[in-house]
Amino acid sequence: MRLSLKPFLPRSLFGRAALILIVPTVTIQLIVSVAFIQRHFEGVTQQLVHGVVMELALMRDVLDAADSLEAALAAVQPLAEAVEIGVELPARSVTPTDRRDWWDLTARPVIAELRERLPYVLSIDLATVRGTVLLAEQTRHGPILFSLSRTRVSASNPHQLLVIMMLASVLMTLIAYMFLRNQLRPIKRLAEAAEAFGKGEAVPYRPRGALEVRAAGAAFLDMRSRIERAIETRTLMLSGVSHDLRTPITRLRLGLSMLPEDDEVQALLSDVREMERLVDEFLAFVRGDAMEEPVEADPAQIAARIVDNVARSGHSLDWESRLMTPVMLRLRPQAVQRAVENLIGNAFRHADSVRLTLSANDRSLRFVVEDNGPGIPEAQREAAMAPFTRLGAARDPNRGGGVGLGLSIAADVARSHGGRLILGRSEALGGLRAELILAR
């Protein structure tokens, strides 16, 4: 089994940049600090212990030269007072083993250095009396206990360097964090503006930050302006085409209405109505949802209007809402309603049982349309969402079918809302399952 650290690493650009900046800096600082502290304190300890060892060796020589215990005490006492070392001979209590606190960083090298230089040491106690070294040795007059200040054998306040190092690390990390956040904020705003434009919203945006970020922001603004101009030009053109096409179609209808009603006239009127429907579908596809501004809307109300429209058209739609709580979403209600109605219309064109389901989660809203029709083969589902694609004779516009734009309109609406249209097979009804997903 391969172990991967990817799930544990940050996914955002800010988190990754902070990781790249902070981890090497802290690691190098720790390595250098540990190496410096170890060498510094070991060197200081060796020098201090060496001086103390010379004093203890001198007093031991005086003790060994004395003939009696009283003479030994009389000879060593002046020396001990001169070097500020307490002497207890014979020692009343001696710890059997060395003692030190677990958090004492310099205790281990002190004990090791004293034992290496003093061969007759019985025990070294650095924990019983705070700030004092109790060293027991064996002499010809019995065990002797030396007591001296801890500062005589190790550097004072060794924790200060560690505290300064930690405070410096925290301070530099905070400075790096603030600098990094200010540098990445323009990138985040650019991403938010691009994401909003992908959903059809033109949020205010001004390029800021480093030169590269400003260049990317300016390029985005130019691209957005060109796209908006292209959409506006296409909309104006289609408005003119719509007017130009509807005028002769209206004249044809008026002219046919004045003729005697017979089978031929009725056939011509049917052709005119079919032309109007085709023109409406073309305009709906090309116009998309560019003319509608996003608003806060309730998807359940949109679904209810769709159900009412289907009922008025004479069809029976099985409808279910799986929303546990009311949901408000910023979207284009008319565009979403038109997309779902296109899916339902396609379903009723090829099936007699259709179901609409509305559901949501933390990231998306879903309109699911299922039917019991023949469905679409898996190999043709991607092609079915392309414009002007008709699959089979049943979808021939001359036989009541569309012009191959229903799924394309629904897919465009889904993409403009940050989602997508997914075609599959309905497990419940056995036909086509069209899932319109909108991002939340």
Side-chain angles (χ1 to χ4, degrees):
M1 182 176 180
R2 184 178 180 182
L3 180 62
S4 176
L5 296 178
K6 188 175 181 179
F8 303 99
L9 297 178
R11 301 182 63 183
S12 65
L13 177 61
F14 180 81
R16 294 182 178 182
L19 195 66
I20 294 173
L21 177 65
I22 294 173
V23 170
T25 303
V26 173
T27 302
I28 293 175
Q29 187 174 7
L30 287 176
I31 293 174
V32 173
S33 299
V34 170
F36 170 75
I37 290 172
Q38 182 180 4
R39 293 191 177 186
H40 170 72
F41 283 114
E42 285 184 357
V44 172
T45 300
Q46 290 175 359
Q47 295 177 11
L48 293 175
V49 170
H50 180 68
V52 172
V53 166
M54 294 177 63
E55 296 170 357
L56 294 177
L58 176 61
M59 287 187 285
R60 180 180 178 84
D61 293 340
V62 172
L63 288 173
D64 291 339
D67 296 333
S68 64
L69 179 60
E70 292 75 11
L73 285 174
V76 80
Q77 198 67 38
L79 294 176
E81 292 177 358
V83 295
E84 298 181 351
I85 296 178
V87 175
E88 183 181 326
L89 181 67
R92 291 187 295 270
S93 62
V94 176
T95 58
T97 58
D98 298 337
R99 296 184 61 187
R100 66 180 181 88
D101 294 320
W102 63 269
W103 45 264
D104 195 342
L105 299 178
T106 60
R108 188 185 298 274
V110 167
I111 294 175
E113 193 71 18
L114 287 174
R115 282 198 169 275
E116 181 181 355
R117 295 179 179 270
L118 298 174
Y120 301 103
V121 172
L122 297 176
S123 65
I124 302 174
D125 186 357
L126 303 178
T128 301
V129 181
R130 186 176 180 84
T132 301
V133 179
L134 300 178
L135 186 146
E137 275 193 310
Q138 184 64 43
T139 67
R140 58 179 294 190
H141 303 290
I144 185 173
L145 183 64
F146 295 105
S147 60
L148 62 150
S149 175
R150 177 65 183 272
T151 58
R152 297 283 304 275
V153 295
S154 61
S156 60
N157 299 325
H159 64 281
Q160 289 184 353
L161 185 59
L162 295 177
V163 172
I164 293 175
M165 182 191 70
M166 293 298 296
L167 290 178
S169 299
V170 172
L171 178 61
M172 297 306 297
T173 300
L174 290 177
I175 294 175
Y177 172 83
M178 296 174 60
F179 176 78
L180 195 60
R181 184 182 62 179
N182 291 334
Q183 293 300 312
L184 294 181
R185 187 179 298 163
I187 300 178
K188 183 179 179 181
R189 290 178 178 173
L190 175 59
E192 292 174 350
E195 182 180 4
F197 184 64
K199 297 179 180 180
E201 302 180 34
V203 299
Y205 172 74
R206 186 175 65 180
R208 292 182 178 179
L211 292 178
E212 294 81 2
V213 180
R214 288 175 179 266
F220 164 74
L221 291 178
D222 292 341
M223 179 193 68
R224 187 171 71 176
S225 298
R226 289 195 297 269
I227 294 176
E228 289 175 345
R229 287 196 299 270
I231 294 176
E232 183 180 0
T233 302
R234 186 184 66 175
T235 303
L236 292 176
M237 180 190 68
L238 290 174
S239 298
V241 171
S242 173
H243 179 271
D244 293 342
L245 287 178
R246 291 183 185 277
T247 300
I249 291 176
T250 302
R251 287 200 302 266
L252 284 174
R253 173 175 287 184
L254 290 175
L256 291 174
S257 63
M258 295 179 183
L259 296 177
E261 295 186 1
D262 53 18
D263 294 340
E264 185 176 354
V265 172
Q266 292 299 325
L268 291 175
L269 286 173
S270 177
D271 290 339
V272 171
R273 286 193 294 269
E274 183 66 20
M275 290 172 61
E276 288 182 330
R277 185 176 68 84
L278 295 179
V279 170
D280 290 338
E281 288 193 24
F282 284 130
L283 294 178
F285 168 71
V286 183
R287 183 176 65 248
D289 52 3
M291 304 299 293
E292 186 181 3
E293 292 295 330
V295 296
E296 292 288 334
D298 186 358
Q301 295 181 359
I302 297 177
R305 289 198 299 269
I306 294 173
V307 174
D308 292 340
N309 292 340
V310 173
R312 285 197 298 268
S313 65
H315 294 287
S316 177
L317 177 65
D318 186 10
W319 141 251
E320 178 186 4
S321 176
R322 298 179 181 175
L323 300 179
M324 305 302 296
T325 58
V327 175
M328 296 299 295
L329 191 63
R330 189 170 180 82
L331 46 78
R332 298 176 176 83
Q334 295 181 6
V336 173
Q337 179 176 338
R338 182 169 63 249
V340 178
E341 287 179 346
N342 282 341
L343 296 177
I344 295 175
N346 287 340
F348 276 118
R349 190 174 294 119
H350 305 100
D352 53 14
S353 178
V354 180
R355 174 187 298 174
L356 172 63
T357 305
L358 176 62
S359 61
N361 55 30
D362 295 338
R363 303 182 61 181
S364 63
L365 178 76
R366 298 170 184 264
F367 289 89
V368 180
V369 179
E370 300 175 274
D371 61 58
N372 63 345
I376 298 177
E378 183 176 358
Q380 299 181 358
R381 288 170 187 168
E382 289 294 331
M385 290 185 286
F388 309 106
T389 299
R390 296 187 294 270
L391 307 177
R395 294 171 174 83
D396 189 346
N398 297 324
R399 300 183 182 182
V403 293
L405 293 176
L407 294 178
S408 300
I409 294 174
D412 286 343
V413 171
R415 282 191 291 267
S416 68
H417 287 80
R420 56 177 178 161
L421 176 64
I422 299 178
L423 301 182
R425 181 171 182 81
S426 173
E427 298 293 338
L429 301 181
L432 181 66
R433 173 188 172 93
E435 191 171 0
L436 184 71
I437 304 176
L438 309 179
R440 295 187 63 176

